[in-house]
Amino acid sequence: MDRTREIADFLRSRRAALTPDRAGLPDDGRTRRVPGLRRDEVARLAGVSIEYYTRLEQGRAQNPSPEVLEALARALRLDPSEREHLTDLLAGPPATRLAPSSPQRVRPGLHLMLHTLEHVPAFILGRRTDVLASNRLARQVLTDFDALPAPRRNLARYYLLDPQARERVVEWERIAAETVAMLRLEAGRHPNDRQLADLVGELTLKSPEFSTWWNDHRVLRRTHGAKWYHHPLVGDLHFSYESFQAPGESDQTLCVYNVEPGSESARSLQLLTNWTAPQPDTLPRPEPTIPPEATP
């Protein structure tokens, strides 16, 4: 990833998305030739010179102070995910941000937690939205990640490239676009991640929508929200999901899809649980013992 270009494109996209009215700027009567704010307006709002802001937007100002980052975030009305992404982009030369190399492993305790959460879908995401582990209901509601080769167990790849996802995921476009924003955030954090670059390249080639969403420079860290799925066996399922960092694992996120007790979704999910529950192993019946014929 070209860090200089990423900084420039991200700052331009954020100021283009912010109207003067929303930024609290009065109408100065000047004809606007660019969408959103001009560079001088961002500089004024952030309390820095136009020359310094221009260098920032061109990727020529190294290691700005935390105070400058906070001022820019306020001026551009950045949300927490955008603030994190800007900090990642301006954190220093890419050579100092080592790409993750070792494969991720889910410790036994987290596997046990997934199996304990047997009444709702739950799974663990790693870097690049890789699906590191999932319970049985997650594999039923989304897709059977365990049946895929390990390198292809990836949530973004599922949403964007699996035709089944478009049928199962209600509001597919919103969910898919948000997943691309998650990858953007990851790219800012790990600009030298070759596997992430390969995934972005694959999605660019194979998904008609990916490039548009990727070039929006939107970033997102999912924490909680709502999702709807349409399952071919039980119909519509409404989930309130919670996502949070797994204890002791900075690059692993536990995602739990909860349902409202007593709701139609809860009843449908229970029905799905019953229909798809593995049958207990049955012991082979012993051959009947035939008593010897009585001798006269």
Side-chain angles (χ1 to χ4, degrees):
M1 186 174 68
D2 185 335
R3 175 177 168 271
T4 300
R5 180 176 176 180
E6 286 296 311
I7 294 171
D9 288 348
F10 179 69
L11 288 174
R12 287 171 187 151
S13 69
R14 296 311 91 192
R15 68 180 173 89
L18 184 61
T19 63
D21 181 66
R22 183 167 165 244
L25 293 174
D27 185 2
D28 58 8
R30 296 164 60 187
T31 301
R32 291 191 170 273
R33 293 178 292 180
V34 296
L37 300 184
R38 295 185 291 264
R39 283 180 179 173
D40 63 293
E41 291 172 326
V42 176
R44 187 164 71 252
L45 288 169
V48 298
S49 69
I50 179 60
E51 292 79 10
Y52 181 73
Y53 177 77
T54 299
R55 293 203 307 274
L56 274 174
E57 198 171 276
Q58 293 175 346
R60 295 188 292 111
Q62 300 295 323
N63 299 321
S65 68
E67 292 77 15
V68 169
L69 286 175
E70 179 60 27
L72 282 173
R74 286 198 309 269
L76 293 169
R77 302 293 196 270
L78 302 186
D79 64 27
S81 296
E82 291 168 332
R83 287 172 181 244
E84 179 181 349
H85 187 59
L86 180 62
T87 301
D88 288 336
L89 291 177
L90 296 174
T96 66
R97 310 295 302 282
L98 297 179
S101 55
S102 59
Q104 290 184 279
R105 297 284 186 264
V106 176
R107 65 176 183 266
L110 291 174
H111 275 290
L112 181 60
M113 179 183 294
L114 289 180
H115 290 295
T116 302
L117 295 167
E118 59 181 8
H119 299 301
V120 293
F123 53 94
I124 294 175
L125 289 182
R127 296 186 290 263
R128 316 168 204 97
T129 73
D130 288 340
V131 179
L132 303 180
S134 57
N135 68 4
R136 184 171 60 85
L137 271 180
R139 296 191 293 272
Q140 288 293 334
V141 171
L142 280 79
T143 193
D144 190 353
F145 291 106
D146 285 1
L148 299 173
R152 305 197 69 78
R153 297 171 190 169
N154 180 275
L155 195 64
R157 185 180 280 112
Y158 165 66
Y159 282 143
L160 288 155
L161 301 183
D162 191 333
Q164 175 185 279
R166 294 177 183 256
E167 299 174 0
R168 288 203 178 188
V169 180
V170 182
E171 293 188 305
W172 173 86
E173 186 170 327
R174 175 180 68 85
I175 298 301
E178 288 179 352
T179 306
V180 173
M182 292 169 62
L183 288 180
R184 259 290 179 200
L185 188 67
E186 186 83 1
R189 188 178 182 190
H190 297 296
N192 294 326
D193 188 338
R194 179 57 185 270
Q195 290 174 274
L196 177 57
D198 290 344
L199 174 61
V200 169
E202 180 185 5
L203 296 176
T204 300
L205 291 174
K206 296 180 179 179
S207 168
E209 300 88 355
F210 178 80
S211 292
T212 297
W213 292 331
W214 183 256
N215 292 330
D216 283 343
H217 289 268
R218 182 186 176 195
V219 292
L220 176 68
R221 181 178 295 283
R222 278 208 183 114
T223 53
H224 58 86
K227 285 189 178 181
W228 289 262
Y229 287 83
H230 181 80
H231 195 278
L233 291 180
V234 297
D236 292 337
L237 296 166
H238 175 220
F239 298 106
S240 297
Y241 72 85
E242 298 288 337
S243 302
F244 45 90
Q245 181 180 316
E249 304 290 349
S250 61
D251 284 336
Q252 295 185 16
T253 303
L254 175 62
C255 305
V256 182
Y257 285 12
N258 297 305
V259 290
E260 189 70 27
S263 65
E264 186 66 31
S265 290
R267 290 188 287 270
S268 296
L269 199 60
Q270 183 60 56
L271 185 61
L272 181 62
T273 301
N274 297 339
W275 278 354
T276 61
Q279 297 299 314
D281 293 335
T282 55
L283 295 175
R285 292 183 179 181
E287 293 292 332
T289 301
I290 303 176
E293 294 183 2
T295 55

